[in-house]
Amino acid sequence: MAHWLVKSEPAKYAFADLVRDGKTVWDGVRNNAAALHLKAMKLGDEALYYHSQEGLEVVGVAKVVTEAFLDASDPAGRFVAVELAPVRALKSPVTLAQMKANPALADMVMLRQVRLSVSPVTDDEWAVILTMAEETP
DNA sequence: GCCAACGTTGGC
DNA sequence: GCCAACGTTGGC
């Protein structure tokens, strides 16, 4: 099972909104690299849910409930969307600053490619971040 | 609000 | 097919 990280601006669609809705269509991705990752997502894959612009932290875990399909909001029909559902909120959110400060995460794709809205997370990175989320500050 | 990173567009 | 200009994202 693969792991991912998805970014969302909480002012537009926060993790709490996903919890409220039960699931959501993850569309609007207009970047080829991000779209490739969406296409690679499999049913049951889990993703870290990161708040960009505000918060700047991983706040929860979501899972893929529908694999890639054509994004209806893309008139050109070039890009795809998936459906995500909430799994759980993190006990203690993991901030961008914490991730940057952790040498084990130095190669994280989301740290190296700031603008990529959907990125892969290795098993090791996944374990490190979830461990950080269990620590009480 | 600014600016760096980087993807996309369009002229040649 | 190259590359400069432009637009967008996102951290600070």
Side-chain angles (χ1 to χ4, degrees):
Chain A
M1 189 171 76
H3 294 122
W4 310 94
L5 180 143
V6 296
K7 291 182 181 178
S8 182
E9 296 177 33
K12 292 181 180 166
Y13 199 81
F15 187 71
D17 296 320
L18 181 61
V19 171
R20 182 199 60 211
D21 293 345
K23 70 172 181 178
T24 194
V25 175
W26 206 259
D27 61 4
V29 172
R30 295 291 181 270
N31 171 285
N32 284 311
L36 280 178
H37 297 316
L38 285 183
K39 286 180 189 170
M41 287 185 180
K42 296 299 175 193
L43 205 60
D45 280 3
E46 293 187 327
L48 298 169
Y49 198 106
Y50 175 80
H51 280 171
S52 62
Q53 311 280 8
E54 293 170 48
L56 308 186
E57 57 193 7
V58 175
V59 293
V61 176
K63 68 179 176 193
V64 177
V65 292
T66 308
E67 295 181 6
F69 53 93
L70 274 181
D71 182 345
S73 74
D74 174 23
R78 295 168 54 207
F79 293 102
V80 295
V82 298
E83 277 189 310
L84 297 180
V87 174
R88 65 182 179 280
L90 296 186
K91 189 178 298 179
S92 164
V94 178
T95 66
L96 178 66
Q98 284 177 279
M99 291 191 281
K100 281 185 171 177
N102 191 329
L105 302 177
D107 289 330
M108 261 191 94
V109 174
M110 75 91 64
L111 294 181
R112 299 185 149 240
Q113 291 211 28
V114 181
R115 294 182 49 201
L116 195 57
S117 57
V118 181
S119 59
V121 174
T122 68
D123 292 347
D124 287 348
E125 290 160 355
W126 182 267
V128 167
I129 290 169
L130 288 192
T131 301
M132 290 164 82
E134 294 303 317
E135 293 168 358
T136 32

